Amino acid sequence: MSKIVVVGGGAAGLELVTRLGRSFGRKAKHEIVLVEPSSHHYWKPRLHEIAAGTFDAELDAVSYLQHSACNDYQYIQASMAGLDRAAKTLQLRDTRGLEFLMQYDYLVIAVGAVSNDFKTPGVSEHCLFLDSSEQAQSAWQQINPLLSMEGKHRISIVGAGATGVELAAELAKVSDKLKRYRHGAELEITLIEASERVLPAGPACMSEKVQKALSKQGITVRTNTRVQRAEEGKLVTAEGESITADVQVWAAGIKCAEWLTQLDGLETNRLNQLKVGANLQSTLDSRIFVLGDSAECPQPDGSFVPPRAQAANQAAGHLAQQFKRLLKGKAMKPFIFNDGGMVIAVGHDYAVGALMNDKVVLKGRFVRNLYDTIFRLHQRVLFGWGRVTALVVLKRIKCALNPYYKGNLS
Ligand SMILES: Cc1cc2nc3c(=O)[nH]c(=O)nc-3n(C[C@H](O)[C@H](O)[C@H](O)COP(=O)(O)OP(=O)(O)OC[C@H]3O[C@@H](n4cnc5c(N)ncnc54)[C@H](O)[C@@H]3O)c2cc1C
């Protein structure tokens, strides 16, 4: 019997332990362990909904404890803090800060990435981040009081990638809905981007449509604007202009946590991502695999797998299959990312998508349904179609009975 330890229960890690638990844990063929510091799983591409107060945790958050019991893997609530490759031992820290060791036969690291502040002065002190559900909840705690106060309130969001665009549009929608409940309270949202277009990492054909949709929602989009420092209540640009705001969110770029560079000599790149070969094994240790945003995984055309939810899910499905081969002594196959396109939600009922290698750009309500489908596919792996169908029906009923804004407006 082998012990497979998966560190990080996000888009990649949770799908992997679910598949491995069902294949191996259920029949007690191999021991499957998930190490994750949080008690609940939230689908990261929806963290902006938590920050805007529109996320339904009752229906869409997953308790690791319950899920592990139903899917035959062990859940340890702890963070990874170190690694001893020779002893095949992980150093873990529990929620009280106590450290302990755990043995593994195979280790999978899937701890995701965080925002990159590019060492911009003042950002860590004066800006909010959306890298975890806890951070998204604390953003909501700062935004919620603004919604209850009369007058105009300003929110600045730095970075017009998927996170920044989706947050700006969701907040604009909430502000718009709010006018029906409380006249006089309004959010003025400014989206700031250093590049010449929104979604700089996405296809150019999408950027124009997304920018148009954002402007239509009353969001001020400032491209070619580089923030040089953040201060209490204001961002200062490279040209010396001050952009004042009640709440400032930093959503520009990604990098991995610093501790990944100190894992017993494992190779990392300049974003602190761990380097892996084509079959997701780390370049220096064939018993260690890396998945999702924390991996720099090469592709046959010389590019690298992008840090996207879709790529994390595909890699998890692939590795689950490869473990079956590996544990039977068969050779593993390389992971090739199949890019199904990019879909960005611009508010609650509109999305823009670039499909078929960016040849087709679609927009509208039905594309928003496609965006939701990506999340439902993730849930399908976690629960199966039966439960997903029940969740969709329940959500429809709740939406029909309640306005979707669930803040403290009574
Ligand atoms: C607001 C937002 C919107 C986004 N929108 C999109 C989108 O529209 N489309 C898209 O493709 N992508 C989007 N993304 C990116 C997408 O969410 C990520 O690419 C994807 O979640 C990566 O999956 P992952 O499993 O690598 O990491 P994650 O999903 O981030 O999971 C990492 C897990 O590791 C855990 N962890 C962290 N540190 C430790 C530790 N020391 N020990 C143990 N566990 C640890 C974390 O708690 C977390 O559960 C968005 C991201 C954000 C933040």
Side-chain angles (χ1 to χ4, degrees):
M1 182 189 265
S2 295
K3 181 170 178 177
I4 304 172
V5 179
V6 178
V7 183
L14 187 55
E15 288 203 9
L16 180 64
V17 284
T18 307
R19 291 175 190 273
L20 294 178
R22 288 180 196 153
S23 303
F24 302 129
R26 195 151 288 173
K27 294 171 198 146
K29 279 188 182 166
H30 300 286
E31 192 182 346
I32 313 299
V33 181
L34 171 68
V35 174
E36 162 63 49
S38 305
S39 60
H40 286 75
H41 165 74
Y42 296 84
W43 171 244
K44 208 174 178 185
R46 297 189 66 181
L47 289 186
H48 63 281
E49 292 181 11
I50 299 182
T54 56
F55 184 80
D56 192 335
E58 201 178 41
L59 292 184
D60 291 334
V62 181
S63 152
Y64 287 111
L65 197 61
Q66 278 178 7
H67 191 260
S68 61
C70 298
N71 291 280
D72 301 280
Y73 63 88
Q74 202 188 335
Y75 158 59
I76 305 287
Q77 191 170 7
S79 304
M80 178 173 170
L83 174 69
D84 182 340
R85 292 198 284 127
K88 286 193 269 162
T89 307
L90 277 178
Q91 193 185 333
L92 302 180
R93 193 173 298 124
D94 73 11
T95 46
R96 292 163 300 167
L98 299 176
E99 295 203 345
F100 59 102
L101 300 177
M102 180 183 279
Q103 290 283 135
Y104 65 85
D105 294 305
Y106 295 98
L107 171 65
V108 182
I109 301 175
V111 294
V114 292
S115 309
N116 193 345
D117 69 4
F118 305 101
K119 300 200 170 108
T120 311
V123 169
S124 57
E125 299 92 332
H126 302 296
C127 294
L128 300 168
F129 297 86
L130 282 197
D131 296 327
S132 64
S133 58
E134 291 78 14
Q135 288 181 348
Q137 264 146 15
S138 82
W140 167 238
Q141 271 153 25
Q142 298 214 23
I143 292 165
N144 189 21
L146 300 183
L147 298 172
S148 317
M149 280 186 251
E150 292 277 307
K152 291 190 174 176
H153 309 287
R154 292 197 185 118
I155 298 187
S156 292
I157 301 165
V158 185
T163 309
V165 165
E166 290 180 348
L167 176 65
E170 193 73 14
L171 287 171
K173 199 76 194 170
V174 166
S175 174
D176 193 43
K177 274 249 163 179
L178 187 72
K179 288 181 203 155
R180 298 187 200 170
Y181 298 89
R182 194 186 296 278
H183 292 285
E186 202 179 321
L187 295 181
E188 284 184 352
I189 301 155
T190 306
L191 185 62
I192 303 163
E193 171 57 51
S195 318
E196 60 187 8
R197 61 184 173 94
V198 300
L199 297 177
C205 48
M206 247 179 118
S207 302
E208 201 189 322
K209 290 195 167 55
V210 168
Q211 185 154 343
K212 246 188 205 162
L214 292 171
S215 303
K216 229 175 168 180
Q217 293 185 11
I219 296 161
T220 306
V221 180
R222 307 256 326 239
T223 49
N224 292 312
T225 306
R226 186 172 295 279
V227 172
Q228 204 167 52
R229 67 174 192 276
E231 293 179 12
E232 175 83 49
K234 73 175 181 192
L235 298 165
V236 182
T237 69
E239 285 75 35
E241 185 195 352
S242 291
I243 302 171
T244 56
D246 300 282
V247 170
Q248 305 175 146
V249 182
W250 189 271
I254 66 146
K255 65 168 187 190
C256 291
E258 200 67 38
W259 62 267
L260 288 179
T261 62
Q262 274 126 46
L263 290 184
D264 203 0
L266 292 182
E267 284 189 293
T268 50
N269 65 12
R270 63 184 174 82
L271 294 177
N272 304 338
Q273 286 173 309
L274 289 158
K275 292 188 181 193
V276 295
N279 52 12
L280 301 168
Q281 275 165 317
S282 79
T283 46
L284 297 183
D285 192 324
S286 60
R287 285 187 174 267
I288 301 179
F289 297 79
V290 192
L291 284 187
D293 287 3
S294 17
E296 182 197 79
C297 177
Q299 292 293 278
D301 64 1
S303 66
F304 294 100
V305 176
R308 300 223 305 256
Q310 191 193 144
N313 298 152
Q314 281 183 27
H318 175 83
L319 192 56
Q321 288 300 322
Q322 298 318 303
F323 264 117
K324 289 184 188 160
R325 297 178 65 85
L326 180 72
L327 295 167
K328 282 185 193 153
K330 292 185 183 169
M332 295 175 72
K333 293 181 179 169
F335 170 58
I336 298 172
F337 171 54
N338 177 14
D339 194 347
M342 189 178 184
V343 184
I344 298 293
V346 192
H348 233 69
D349 43 25
Y350 189 87
V352 181
L355 310 171
M356 300 166 78
N357 284 331
D358 307 338
K359 285 193 196 90
V360 179
V361 177
L362 302 169
K363 59 187 168 79
R365 204 184 181 107
F366 76 100
V367 186
R368 187 62 172 82
N369 292 339
L370 187 68
Y371 177 86
D372 288 336
T373 306
I374 300 167
F375 171 58
R376 297 298 174 199
L377 287 173
H378 172 64
Q379 284 190 319
R380 179 197 57 113
V381 176
L382 306 188
F383 305 121
W385 276 126
R387 171 111 181 245
V388 174
T389 309
L391 286 168
V392 172
V393 172
L394 264 175
K395 192 155 202 171
R396 287 268 152 87
I397 295 170
K398 281 184 92 173
C399 285
L401 296 177
N402 300 309
Y404 76 73
Y405 170 67
K406 310 189 312 311
N408 62 359
L409 301 172
S410 51

